[in-house]
Amino acid sequence: MTQTSTNAPFTFEVTANPNPVSDADREAILANPAFGKFMTDHMVTATWTRGEGWHSGELTAYGNISISPAAAVLHYAQEIFEGLKAYRHPDGSIWTFRPEANAERLNNSAVRMALPELPVETFVESIRALVTADQGWVPGTDAGEKSLYLRPFMYASDAFLGLRPSSEVKYSVIASPAAPIFTGGLKPVTLWLCENFARAGSGGTGAAKCGGNYASALAGQIEGAEHGCDQAVFLDSSTHTYIDELGGMNVFFVTKDGRLVTPELTGTILPGITRMSILELAKEFDLQPEERRVAVQEWKDGVASGDILEVFACGTAAIITPIGELRWEGGSAPSTAGEGGGEVTRGLRQRLLDVQHGRAEDTHGWMTRLV
Ligand code: PLP
Ligand code: COI
C-alpha cells in the first residue's frame, strides 16, 4: 500500500533569509540552546499532490505556515515526523548519523498513516540543504555534547472534512540547536510506571513516528510528574505486564550475566535508531544483545536480587540516559545507577557520542557528511 503516484527524487530551490538572526544573538543561543526552544533561520518545504507526486521543493526563511482550518491534519492527526542531529567534527565539517535509517522509518510511518513516501535521496538532500544554509547554527566542537537537532515532518493539508487519505500533503524540515534533552547529562532520571494509560496498542500506530502517539503519552507523563518523576514508562496495552518504552525513548537493561536486553519490536514500540546502534555496539562491550519481552516484574525482581545492574533510556534527543528509581502507585524499585550511571551506560554513551562528534573512528560506517 502506498499513496505515492510519482516518486522521483527532487531538490530544493534556495531563497536565503534576508533577515537572519544576528551573529551575536546566534552565538548567545548556541552557548545555552536547551532543547527545541530556538529555531534556525531557514526551513525546507515541499508539496505532494495526488496524481502529480512531490513538487515545489524549497528552502526559505523560517516562518509561520498558513493552513486551512479544515486541513485534515488538524482533525484526524494525519502527521508523521523524524528526529536526527547534525554534529560538527573537529575539522569543522558537519555530519549526521544514519540518515537513511530515518528516511526508511519516515516511509514506514508514511505507509501506516496513508501519507506518501519520500525518496530516501530526497530526505537526505532536504537535510543537507537545510544544514548547508544554517551551518552557523551547528554548535562548535568545544560545545561537548551539543548538536543541531533536525525535525523533518509531513502532514495532510487537504481542506476536506470527510475522512479519507489526504490528496495534498506537505513535507518540511526545521532545525533547532540542542543540548541533550535531559539537562542533568548523566544524572539518572526517575521513571513513573504508567499503569493507567497505554501509549500504543496492538494493531495501532506504536511503531510509526506519528504525532498521536506522543499526545497519548502526555497523560502518563503528567501522572509521573505528579509523583515526582521525570518520565513515564509504558506497558503493553494487552496484558499490562511487559515493558514497551518511554514516551520518546527506548529502554535497555544490563544484566549481571553480561546481557544487554531491550524489549523486542512487537509493533507497539518505535524502532529506535539509537536502539539499533546500541545492539550493534554490544559486542564491543563483551555483552550479548537480546531482544525479547521484558516483564515489569523481571525489572522489579532483578533490581532487588542484583541480576539487573543497570537500566538506561536511549534516543536521538536523550542520547543515552541512566534510569534511576522506578516508581508506581504504592511502591518503588530503587536505583542501580549510582550518581552518574553504571559503567556500561557510561561506556556506551561515550562511544556513541565519540563516533557522532568525530572523536572516534566510524568503524560501522554510520556517519554521512553534510557540509
Ligand atoms: N521511542 C520513541 C517513542 C521516540 O520518540 C524515540 C525518538 O525518536 C525513540 C524511541 C528513539 O528513537 P531514535 O533512537 O531513532 O531517536
Ligand atoms: C527524538 O529523540 O528525536 C524524539 O523524537 C524525542 C522527542 C519526542 C522530544
Side-chain angles (χ1 to χ4, degrees):
M1 180 182 68
T2 174
Q3 297 297 320
T4 312
S5 47
T6 60
N7 206 18
F10 60 96
T11 54
F12 299 88
E13 197 179 311
V14 175
T15 310
N17 184 342
N19 297 304
V21 171
S22 72
D23 289 351
D25 286 351
R26 192 183 66 239
E27 288 311 320
I29 291 170
L30 292 184
N32 192 12
F35 182 89
K37 202 169 158 186
F38 304 98
M39 304 302 147
T40 62
D41 293 313
H42 295 91
M43 65 193 284
V44 156
T45 50
T47 302
W48 179 91
T49 317
R50 188 174 303 284
E52 220 180 313
W54 287 107
H55 56 88
S56 311
E58 280 187 283
L59 180 129
T60 54
Y62 178 88
N64 291 349
I65 50 177
S66 168
I67 192 167
S68 163
V73 62
L74 299 178
H75 303 270
Y76 308 124
Q78 208 188 344
E79 185 270 354
I80 56 177
F81 67 97
E82 271 304 323
L84 65 170
K85 285 173 168 173
Y87 309 89
R88 193 178 293 280
H89 283 193
D91 66 357
S93 59
I94 301 171
W95 299 68
T96 192
F97 185 71
R98 309 189 82 171
E100 291 84 5
N102 290 92
E104 279 162 24
R105 189 170 65 187
L106 181 84
N107 284 342
N108 291 337
S109 302
V111 169
R112 180 64 182 85
M113 300 302 287
L115 288 164
E117 292 172 60
L118 186 74
V120 171
E121 307 92 290
T122 302
F123 178 90
V124 177
E125 180 54 32
S126 68
I127 302 290
R128 180 170 281 125
L130 184 57
V131 173
T132 301
D134 284 336
Q135 52 189 278
W137 285 91
V138 182
T141 48
D142 55 343
E145 299 179 351
K146 290 180 198 159
S147 58
L148 182 66
Y149 183 76
L150 305 164
R151 173 55 66 84
F153 58 104
M154 194 192 285
Y155 58 93
S157 52
D158 225 4
F160 177 63
L161 293 180
L163 181 59
R164 67 167 188 212
S166 192
S167 35
E168 187 191 83
V169 170
K170 301 281 186 188
Y171 170 71
S172 196
V173 191
I174 56 175
S176 174
I181 199 164
F182 294 122
T183 46
L186 277 162
K187 185 168 165 279
V189 292
T190 300
L191 285 197
W192 175 247
L193 179 62
C194 189
E195 294 170 299
N196 290 323
F197 307 104
R199 174 188 168 273
S202 170
T205 57
K209 202 163 167 61
C210 61
N213 292 343
Y214 296 79
S216 85
L218 287 174
Q221 197 167 315
I222 291 168
E223 198 182 67
E226 285 165 359
H227 290 83
C229 296
D230 303 296
Q231 286 282 317
V233 59
F234 294 91
L235 296 171
D236 78 285
S237 68
S238 315
T239 69
H240 308 282
T241 306
Y242 299 101
I243 302 291
D244 262 0
E245 62 173 328
L246 280 59
M249 283 150 252
N250 295 118
V251 61
F252 272 89
F253 303 86
V254 182
T255 67
K256 194 169 74 180
D257 58 357
R259 285 173 293 140
L260 188 59
V261 184
T262 194
E264 66 184 348
L265 302 176
T266 53
T268 59
I269 298 173
L270 190 79
I273 292 152
T274 318
R275 173 189 180 279
M276 171 167 78
S277 309
I278 289 169
L279 288 169
E280 290 171 40
L281 282 176
K283 262 195 230 86
E284 292 175 31
F285 287 76
D286 287 328
L287 293 166
Q288 180 63 38
E290 211 169 279
E291 293 174 82
R292 62 169 171 82
R293 297 205 130 193
V294 181
V296 67
Q297 195 59 44
E298 181 180 345
W299 184 346
K300 296 176 184 176
D301 293 346
V303 165
S305 68
D307 284 344
I308 291 177
L309 298 181
E310 301 177 36
V311 190
F312 64 84
C314 69
T316 299
I319 315 176
I320 290 179
T321 300
I323 292 174
E325 186 186 341
L326 178 69
R327 288 186 194 159
W328 58 91
E329 205 68 68
S332 71
S335 173
T336 58
E339 280 290 292
E343 196 183 324
V344 172
T345 306
R346 279 184 281 120
L348 282 166
R349 186 176 199 274
Q350 199 55 50
R351 176 94 187 101
L352 193 62
L353 281 169
D354 284 348
V355 171
Q356 290 171 334
H357 288 264
R359 300 186 292 252
E361 197 191 339
D362 174 23
T363 51
H364 297 264
W366 284 339
M367 303 304 291
T368 294
R369 185 169 179 171
L370 295 174
V371 180

mmCIF file of all heavy atoms in Angstrom, residues 26-27 30 85-96 131-132 134-148 353-359 367 369-371:
data_model
loop_
_atom_site.group_PDB
_atom_site.id
_atom_site.type_symbol
_atom_site.label_atom_id
_atom_site.label_comp_id
_atom_site.label_asym_id
_atom_site.label_seq_id
_atom_site.Cartn_x
_atom_site.Cartn_y
_atom_site.Cartn_z
ATOM 1 N N ARG A 26 22.895 34.677 17.729
ATOM 2 C CA ARG A 26 23.028 33.243 17.465
ATOM 3 C C ARG A 26 24.058 32.618 18.411
ATOM 4 O O ARG A 26 23.818 31.548 18.984
ATOM 5 C CB ARG A 26 23.427 33.007 16.005
ATOM 6 C CG ARG A 26 23.304 31.556 15.585
ATOM 7 C CD ARG A 26 23.770 31.328 14.159
ATOM 8 N NE ARG A 26 25.200 31.581 14.027
ATOM 9 C CZ ARG A 26 25.737 32.489 13.213
ATOM 10 N NH1 ARG A 26 24.977 33.228 12.435
ATOM 11 N NH2 ARG A 26 27.048 32.656 13.175
ATOM 12 N N GLU A 27 25.187 33.295 18.582
ATOM 13 C CA GLU A 27 26.223 32.766 19.478
ATOM 14 C C GLU A 27 25.698 32.655 20.912
ATOM 15 O O GLU A 27 26.003 31.696 21.621
ATOM 16 C CB GLU A 27 27.484 33.632 19.433
ATOM 17 C CG GLU A 27 28.297 33.497 18.141
ATOM 18 C CD GLU A 27 28.578 32.059 17.714
ATOM 19 O OE1 GLU A 27 28.858 31.219 18.593
ATOM 20 O OE2 GLU A 27 28.489 31.757 16.505
ATOM 21 N N LEU A 30 23.579 29.593 21.010
ATOM 22 C CA LEU A 30 24.387 28.364 20.935
ATOM 23 C C LEU A 30 25.123 28.082 22.247
ATOM 24 O O LEU A 30 25.436 26.938 22.556
ATOM 25 C CB LEU A 30 25.395 28.437 19.776
ATOM 26 C CG LEU A 30 24.786 28.417 18.369
ATOM 27 C CD1 LEU A 30 25.883 28.392 17.307
ATOM 28 C CD2 LEU A 30 23.864 27.226 18.180
ATOM 29 N N LYS A 85 20.223 14.391 14.189
ATOM 30 C CA LYS A 85 21.058 15.528 14.572
ATOM 31 C C LYS A 85 22.221 15.730 13.597
ATOM 32 O O LYS A 85 22.693 14.761 12.983
ATOM 33 C CB LYS A 85 21.658 15.286 15.971
ATOM 34 C CG LYS A 85 20.658 15.479 17.117
ATOM 35 C CD LYS A 85 21.265 15.059 18.443
ATOM 36 C CE LYS A 85 20.415 15.511 19.625
ATOM 37 N NZ LYS A 85 20.923 14.954 20.906
ATOM 38 N N ALA A 86 22.684 16.977 13.503
ATOM 39 C CA ALA A 86 23.915 17.285 12.758
ATOM 40 C C ALA A 86 24.991 17.633 13.785
ATOM 41 O O ALA A 86 24.722 18.363 14.747
ATOM 42 C CB ALA A 86 23.680 18.447 11.813
ATOM 43 N N TYR A 87 26.192 17.090 13.560
ATOM 44 C CA TYR A 87 27.302 17.244 14.510
ATOM 45 C C TYR A 87 28.479 17.898 13.808
ATOM 46 O O TYR A 87 28.859 17.491 12.712
ATOM 47 C CB TYR A 87 27.767 15.862 15.003
ATOM 48 C CG TYR A 87 26.652 14.986 15.515
ATOM 49 C CD1 TYR A 87 25.947 14.133 14.656
ATOM 50 C CD2 TYR A 87 26.302 14.994 16.863
ATOM 51 C CE1 TYR A 87 24.922 13.325 15.126
ATOM 52 C CE2 TYR A 87 25.276 14.191 17.340
ATOM 53 C CZ TYR A 87 24.597 13.357 16.470
ATOM 54 O OH TYR A 87 23.585 12.567 16.938
ATOM 55 N N ARG A 88 29.109 18.852 14.477
ATOM 56 C CA ARG A 88 30.334 19.448 13.919
ATOM 57 C C ARG A 88 31.538 18.635 14.393
ATOM 58 O O ARG A 88 31.672 18.349 15.576
ATOM 59 C CB ARG A 88 30.487 20.904 14.356
ATOM 60 C CG ARG A 88 31.559 21.627 13.545
ATOM 61 C CD ARG A 88 31.672 23.083 13.941
ATOM 62 N NE ARG A 88 30.517 23.894 13.612
ATOM 63 C CZ ARG A 88 30.252 24.392 12.408
ATOM 64 N NH1 ARG A 88 31.062 24.146 11.387
ATOM 65 N NH2 ARG A 88 29.175 25.132 12.204
ATOM 66 N N HIS A 89 32.373 18.246 13.430
ATOM 67 C CA HIS A 89 33.570 17.463 13.758
ATOM 68 C C HIS A 89 34.755 18.405 13.999
ATOM 69 O O HIS A 89 34.694 19.586 13.640
ATOM 70 C CB HIS A 89 33.853 16.463 12.634
ATOM 71 C CG HIS A 89 32.931 15.269 12.701
ATOM 72 N ND1 HIS A 89 33.135 14.126 11.975
ATOM 73 C CD2 HIS A 89 31.815 15.051 13.445
ATOM 74 C CE1 HIS A 89 32.178 13.240 12.266
ATOM 75 N NE2 HIS A 89 31.370 13.786 13.137
ATOM 76 N N PRO A 90 35.817 17.866 14.602
ATOM 77 C CA PRO A 90 36.945 18.741 14.955
ATOM 78 C C PRO A 90 37.526 19.521 13.777
ATOM 79 O O PRO A 90 38.034 20.628 13.957
ATOM 80 C CB PRO A 90 37.982 17.766 15.533
ATOM 81 C CG PRO A 90 37.153 16.643 16.072
ATOM 82 C CD PRO A 90 35.982 16.507 15.137
ATOM 83 N N ASP A 91 37.430 18.992 12.532
ATOM 84 C CA ASP A 91 37.981 19.728 11.373
ATOM 85 C C ASP A 91 36.981 20.743 10.810
ATOM 86 O O ASP A 91 37.230 21.345 9.758
ATOM 87 C CB ASP A 91 38.415 18.739 10.269
ATOM 88 C CG ASP A 91 37.235 17.995 9.655
ATOM 89 O OD1 ASP A 91 36.083 18.206 10.114
ATOM 90 O OD2 ASP A 91 37.456 17.208 8.715
ATOM 91 N N GLY A 92 35.836 20.918 11.473
ATOM 92 C CA GLY A 92 34.854 21.910 11.034
ATOM 93 C C GLY A 92 33.770 21.336 10.136
ATOM 94 O O GLY A 92 32.742 21.985 9.904
ATOM 95 N N SER A 93 33.982 20.138 9.584
ATOM 96 C CA SER A 93 32.967 19.528 8.718
ATOM 97 C C SER A 93 31.733 19.143 9.553
ATOM 98 O O SER A 93 31.820 19.032 10.776
ATOM 99 C CB SER A 93 33.546 18.300 8.007
ATOM 100 O OG SER A 93 33.985 17.345 8.958
ATOM 101 N N ILE A 94 30.602 18.956 8.867
ATOM 102 C CA ILE A 94 29.343 18.674 9.574
ATOM 103 C C ILE A 94 28.771 17.354 9.074
ATOM 104 O O ILE A 94 28.665 17.129 7.858
ATOM 105 C CB ILE A 94 28.333 19.824 9.373
ATOM 106 C CG1 ILE A 94 28.927 21.139 9.896
ATOM 107 C CG2 ILE A 94 27.018 19.523 10.083
ATOM 108 C CD1 ILE A 94 28.112 22.370 9.551
ATOM 109 N N TRP A 95 28.387 16.505 10.013
ATOM 110 C CA TRP A 95 27.966 15.137 9.705
ATOM 111 C C TRP A 95 26.636 14.830 10.377
ATOM 112 O O TRP A 95 26.265 15.471 11.343
ATOM 113 C CB TRP A 95 29.025 14.142 10.218
ATOM 114 C CG TRP A 95 30.381 14.319 9.596
ATOM 115 C CD1 TRP A 95 31.234 15.376 9.758
ATOM 116 C CD2 TRP A 95 31.034 13.418 8.701
ATOM 117 N NE1 TRP A 95 32.385 15.185 9.021
ATOM 118 C CE2 TRP A 95 32.287 13.986 8.372
ATOM 119 C CE3 TRP A 95 30.687 12.181 8.146
ATOM 120 C CZ2 TRP A 95 33.184 13.352 7.511
ATOM 121 C CZ3 TRP A 95 31.583 11.541 7.301
ATOM 122 C CH2 TRP A 95 32.820 12.131 6.982
ATOM 123 N N THR A 96 25.974 13.788 9.839
ATOM 124 C CA THR A 96 24.791 13.289 10.527
ATOM 125 C C THR A 96 24.876 11.772 10.666
ATOM 126 O O THR A 96 25.727 11.132 10.055
ATOM 127 C CB THR A 96 23.496 13.754 9.821
ATOM 128 O OG1 THR A 96 22.385 13.474 10.673
ATOM 129 C CG2 THR A 96 23.284 13.065 8.490
ATOM 130 N N VAL A 131 21.003 22.143 6.453
ATOM 131 C CA VAL A 131 22.218 22.283 7.260
ATOM 132 C C VAL A 131 23.252 23.154 6.527
ATOM 133 O O VAL A 131 23.986 23.915 7.161
ATOM 134 C CB VAL A 131 22.788 20.888 7.645
ATOM 135 C CG1 VAL A 131 24.136 21.015 8.333
ATOM 136 C CG2 VAL A 131 21.799 20.155 8.550
ATOM 137 N N THR A 132 23.274 23.082 5.213
ATOM 138 C CA THR A 132 24.186 23.946 4.458
ATOM 139 C C THR A 132 23.815 25.419 4.679
ATOM 140 O O THR A 132 24.673 26.256 4.976
ATOM 141 C CB THR A 132 24.132 23.588 2.955
ATOM 142 O OG1 THR A 132 24.499 22.224 2.807
ATOM 143 C CG2 THR A 132 25.071 24.460 2.134
ATOM 144 N N ASP A 134 22.101 26.690 7.125
ATOM 145 C CA ASP A 134 22.147 27.079 8.546
ATOM 146 C C ASP A 134 23.383 26.522 9.250
ATOM 147 O O ASP A 134 23.339 26.224 10.453
ATOM 148 C CB ASP A 134 20.867 26.601 9.249
ATOM 149 C CG ASP A 134 19.672 27.485 8.913
ATOM 150 O OD1 ASP A 134 19.887 28.664 8.556
ATOM 151 O OD2 ASP A 134 18.535 26.992 8.994
ATOM 152 N N GLN A 135 24.491 26.386 8.507
ATOM 153 C CA GLN A 135 25.670 25.735 9.109
ATOM 154 C C GLN A 135 26.200 26.501 10.319
ATOM 155 O O GLN A 135 26.806 25.912 11.211
ATOM 156 C CB GLN A 135 26.755 25.441 8.092
ATOM 157 C CG GLN A 135 27.172 26.612 7.245
ATOM 158 C CD GLN A 135 28.097 26.142 6.119
ATOM 159 O OE1 GLN A 135 29.282 25.955 6.320
ATOM 160 N NE2 GLN A 135 27.542 25.942 4.940
ATOM 161 N N GLY A 136 25.994 27.823 10.345
ATOM 162 C CA GLY A 136 26.429 28.615 11.501
ATOM 163 C C GLY A 136 25.687 28.239 12.776
ATOM 164 O O GLY A 136 26.092 28.620 13.872
ATOM 165 N N TRP A 137 24.601 27.489 12.642
ATOM 166 C CA TRP A 137 23.806 27.081 13.807
ATOM 167 C C TRP A 137 24.253 25.738 14.384
ATOM 168 O O TRP A 137 23.674 25.265 15.376
ATOM 169 C CB TRP A 137 22.332 26.979 13.406
ATOM 170 C CG TRP A 137 21.659 28.302 13.233
ATOM 171 C CD1 TRP A 137 21.549 29.028 12.080
ATOM 172 C CD2 TRP A 137 20.980 29.058 14.243
ATOM 173 N NE1 TRP A 137 20.847 30.187 12.313
ATOM 174 C CE2 TRP A 137 20.482 30.225 13.633
ATOM 175 C CE3 TRP A 137 20.748 28.865 15.609
ATOM 176 C CZ2 TRP A 137 19.763 31.197 14.338
ATOM 177 C CZ3 TRP A 137 20.028 29.821 16.304
ATOM 178 C CH2 TRP A 137 19.547 30.971 15.672
ATOM 179 N N VAL A 138 25.222 25.087 13.738
ATOM 180 C CA VAL A 138 25.703 23.811 14.287
ATOM 181 C C VAL A 138 26.753 24.138 15.334
ATOM 182 O O VAL A 138 27.786 24.733 15.004
ATOM 183 C CB VAL A 138 26.300 22.905 13.184
ATOM 184 C CG1 VAL A 138 26.739 21.569 13.774
ATOM 185 C CG2 VAL A 138 25.287 22.691 12.059
ATOM 186 N N PRO A 139 26.512 23.803 16.600
ATOM 187 C CA PRO A 139 27.457 24.194 17.648
ATOM 188 C C PRO A 139 28.883 23.729 17.352
ATOM 189 O O PRO A 139 29.093 22.707 16.688
ATOM 190 C CB PRO A 139 26.887 23.494 18.892
ATOM 191 C CG PRO A 139 25.428 23.336 18.608
ATOM 192 C CD PRO A 139 25.347 23.077 17.131
ATOM 193 N N GLY A 140 29.842 24.479 17.849
ATOM 194 C CA GLY A 140 31.258 24.167 17.608
ATOM 195 C C GLY A 140 31.701 22.944 18.385
ATOM 196 O O GLY A 140 30.980 22.431 19.248
ATOM 197 N N THR A 141 32.909 22.472 18.075
ATOM 198 C CA THR A 141 33.387 21.234 18.701
ATOM 199 C C THR A 141 33.745 21.427 20.167
ATOM 200 O O THR A 141 33.872 20.467 20.901
ATOM 201 C CB THR A 141 34.624 20.681 17.969
ATOM 202 O OG1 THR A 141 35.525 21.775 17.800
ATOM 203 C CG2 THR A 141 34.271 20.105 16.638
ATOM 204 N N ASP A 142 33.888 22.695 20.586
ATOM 205 C CA ASP A 142 34.164 22.926 22.002
ATOM 206 C C ASP A 142 32.884 22.768 22.824
ATOM 207 O O ASP A 142 32.875 22.900 24.036
ATOM 208 C CB ASP A 142 34.722 24.342 22.218
ATOM 209 C CG ASP A 142 33.786 25.399 21.649
ATOM 210 O OD1 ASP A 142 32.916 25.048 20.832
ATOM 211 O OD2 ASP A 142 33.918 26.571 22.047
ATOM 212 N N ALA A 143 31.783 22.494 22.089
ATOM 213 C CA ALA A 143 30.482 22.502 22.756
ATOM 214 C C ALA A 143 30.140 21.160 23.411
ATOM 215 O O ALA A 143 29.026 20.968 23.871
ATOM 216 C CB ALA A 143 29.404 22.897 21.759
ATOM 217 N N GLY A 144 31.053 20.233 23.440
ATOM 218 C CA GLY A 144 30.817 18.962 24.136
ATOM 219 C C GLY A 144 29.756 18.121 23.474
ATOM 220 O O GLY A 144 30.001 17.513 22.448
ATOM 221 N N GLU A 145 28.560 18.110 24.030
ATOM 222 C CA GLU A 145 27.508 17.224 23.537
ATOM 223 C C GLU A 145 26.462 17.964 22.717
ATOM 224 O O GLU A 145 25.423 17.414 22.415
ATOM 225 C CB GLU A 145 26.847 16.534 24.731
ATOM 226 C CG GLU A 145 27.826 15.697 25.517
ATOM 227 C CD GLU A 145 27.182 15.041 26.717
ATOM 228 O OE1 GLU A 145 26.031 15.365 27.043
ATOM 229 O OE2 GLU A 145 27.846 14.194 27.324
ATOM 230 N N LYS A 146 26.718 19.217 22.377
ATOM 231 C CA LYS A 146 25.704 19.974 21.652
ATOM 232 C C LYS A 146 25.703 19.613 20.163
ATOM 233 O O LYS A 146 26.722 19.200 19.606
ATOM 234 C CB LYS A 146 25.954 21.476 21.804
ATOM 235 C CG LYS A 146 25.672 21.988 23.208
ATOM 236 C CD LYS A 146 25.953 23.477 23.283
ATOM 237 C CE LYS A 146 26.123 23.939 24.721
ATOM 238 N NZ LYS A 146 26.866 25.198 24.775
ATOM 239 N N SER A 147 24.539 19.804 19.534
ATOM 240 C CA SER A 147 24.383 19.474 18.119
ATOM 241 C C SER A 147 23.243 20.315 17.559
ATOM 242 O O SER A 147 22.667 21.141 18.271
ATOM 243 C CB SER A 147 24.043 17.985 17.980
ATOM 244 O OG SER A 147 22.854 17.716 18.712
ATOM 245 N N LEU A 148 22.944 20.106 16.281
ATOM 246 C CA LEU A 148 21.769 20.763 15.687
ATOM 247 C C LEU A 148 20.713 19.680 15.474
ATOM 248 O O LEU A 148 20.929 18.738 14.702
ATOM 249 C CB LEU A 148 22.138 21.435 14.359
ATOM 250 C CG LEU A 148 21.001 22.202 13.680
ATOM 251 C CD1 LEU A 148 20.566 23.422 14.515
ATOM 252 C CD2 LEU A 148 21.415 22.669 12.285
ATOM 253 N N LEU A 353 28.704 8.964 21.417
ATOM 254 C CA LEU A 353 28.982 10.401 21.257
ATOM 255 C C LEU A 353 30.298 10.630 20.521
ATOM 256 O O LEU A 353 30.406 11.532 19.688
ATOM 257 C CB LEU A 353 29.031 11.081 22.632
ATOM 258 C CG LEU A 353 27.673 11.407 23.271
ATOM 259 C CD1 LEU A 353 27.855 11.811 24.728
ATOM 260 C CD2 LEU A 353 26.966 12.528 22.501
ATOM 261 N N ASP A 354 31.314 9.817 20.822
ATOM 262 C CA ASP A 354 32.615 9.982 20.169
ATOM 263 C C ASP A 354 32.519 9.740 18.665
ATOM 264 O O ASP A 354 33.142 10.445 17.871
ATOM 265 C CB ASP A 354 33.656 9.051 20.800
ATOM 266 C CG ASP A 354 34.128 9.562 22.159
ATOM 267 O OD1 ASP A 354 33.835 10.734 22.500
ATOM 268 O OD2 ASP A 354 34.777 8.790 22.897
ATOM 269 N N VAL A 355 31.738 8.739 18.270
ATOM 270 C CA VAL A 355 31.553 8.479 16.828
ATOM 271 C C VAL A 355 30.776 9.630 16.202
ATOM 272 O O VAL A 355 31.157 10.183 15.168
ATOM 273 C CB VAL A 355 30.823 7.125 16.595
ATOM 274 C CG1 VAL A 355 30.447 6.960 15.127
ATOM 275 C CG2 VAL A 355 31.686 5.955 17.069
ATOM 276 N N GLN A 356 29.678 10.040 16.855
ATOM 277 C CA GLN A 356 28.824 11.089 16.280
ATOM 278 C C GLN A 356 29.573 12.412 16.141
ATOM 279 O O GLN A 356 29.417 13.126 15.152
ATOM 280 C CB GLN A 356 27.581 11.265 17.157
ATOM 281 C CG GLN A 356 26.643 10.058 17.054
ATOM 282 C CD GLN A 356 25.513 10.076 18.056
ATOM 283 O OE1 GLN A 356 25.625 10.681 19.126
ATOM 284 N NE2 GLN A 356 24.429 9.402 17.738
ATOM 285 N N HIS A 357 30.401 12.730 17.141
ATOM 286 C CA HIS A 357 31.121 14.013 17.127
ATOM 287 C C HIS A 357 32.499 13.918 16.455
ATOM 288 O O HIS A 357 33.276 14.860 16.527
ATOM 289 C CB HIS A 357 31.254 14.547 18.557
ATOM 290 C CG HIS A 357 29.937 15.041 19.118
ATOM 291 N ND1 HIS A 357 29.551 16.356 19.091
ATOM 292 C CD2 HIS A 357 28.913 14.370 19.689
ATOM 293 C CE1 HIS A 357 28.340 16.481 19.644
ATOM 294 N NE2 HIS A 357 27.932 15.288 20.011
ATOM 295 N N GLY A 358 32.785 12.767 15.840
ATOM 296 C CA GLY A 358 34.020 12.633 15.077
ATOM 297 C C GLY A 358 35.271 12.506 15.928
ATOM 298 O O GLY A 358 36.371 12.806 15.464
ATOM 299 N N ARG A 359 35.114 12.049 17.173
ATOM 300 C CA ARG A 359 36.286 11.881 18.051
ATOM 301 C C ARG A 359 36.784 10.438 18.049
ATOM 302 O O ARG A 359 37.809 10.132 18.638
ATOM 303 C CB ARG A 359 35.926 12.297 19.489
ATOM 304 C CG ARG A 359 35.488 13.756 19.608
ATOM 305 C CD ARG A 359 35.281 14.153 21.053
ATOM 306 N NE ARG A 359 34.141 13.482 21.640
ATOM 307 C CZ ARG A 359 32.977 14.080 21.939
ATOM 308 N NH1 ARG A 359 32.818 15.371 21.724
ATOM 309 N NH2 ARG A 359 31.982 13.404 22.469
ATOM 310 N N MET A 367 28.224 7.393 9.751
ATOM 311 C CA MET A 367 28.158 8.845 9.584
ATOM 312 C C MET A 367 28.078 9.242 8.099
ATOM 313 O O MET A 367 28.730 8.635 7.252
ATOM 314 C CB MET A 367 29.378 9.505 10.231
ATOM 315 C CG MET A 367 29.568 9.191 11.713
ATOM 316 S SD MET A 367 28.150 9.588 12.744
ATOM 317 C CE MET A 367 28.146 11.378 12.672
ATOM 318 N N ARG A 369 28.502 12.703 5.668
ATOM 319 C CA ARG A 369 28.922 14.095 5.669
ATOM 320 C C ARG A 369 27.869 14.976 4.986
ATOM 321 O O ARG A 369 27.392 14.644 3.893
ATOM 322 C CB ARG A 369 30.286 14.244 4.963
ATOM 323 C CG ARG A 369 30.787 15.656 5.054
ATOM 324 C CD ARG A 369 32.219 15.813 4.625
ATOM 325 N NE ARG A 369 32.550 17.245 4.736
ATOM 326 C CZ ARG A 369 33.756 17.744 4.601
ATOM 327 N NH1 ARG A 369 34.778 16.951 4.378
ATOM 328 N NH2 ARG A 369 33.949 19.033 4.710
ATOM 329 N N LEU A 370 27.554 16.097 5.605
ATOM 330 C CA LEU A 370 26.560 17.019 5.041
ATOM 331 C C LEU A 370 27.218 18.261 4.456
ATOM 332 O O LEU A 370 26.810 18.772 3.414
ATOM 333 C CB LEU A 370 25.562 17.460 6.124
ATOM 334 C CG LEU A 370 24.675 16.356 6.715
ATOM 335 C CD1 LEU A 370 23.843 16.893 7.865
ATOM 336 C CD2 LEU A 370 23.764 15.756 5.646
ATOM 337 N N VAL A 371 28.222 18.791 5.175
ATOM 338 C CA VAL A 371 28.875 20.038 4.748
ATOM 339 C C VAL A 371 30.373 19.881 4.930
ATOM 340 O O VAL A 371 30.802 19.385 5.981
ATOM 341 C CB VAL A 371 28.399 21.242 5.596
ATOM 342 C CG1 VAL A 371 29.096 22.529 5.132
ATOM 343 C CG2 VAL A 371 26.890 21.427 5.509
#
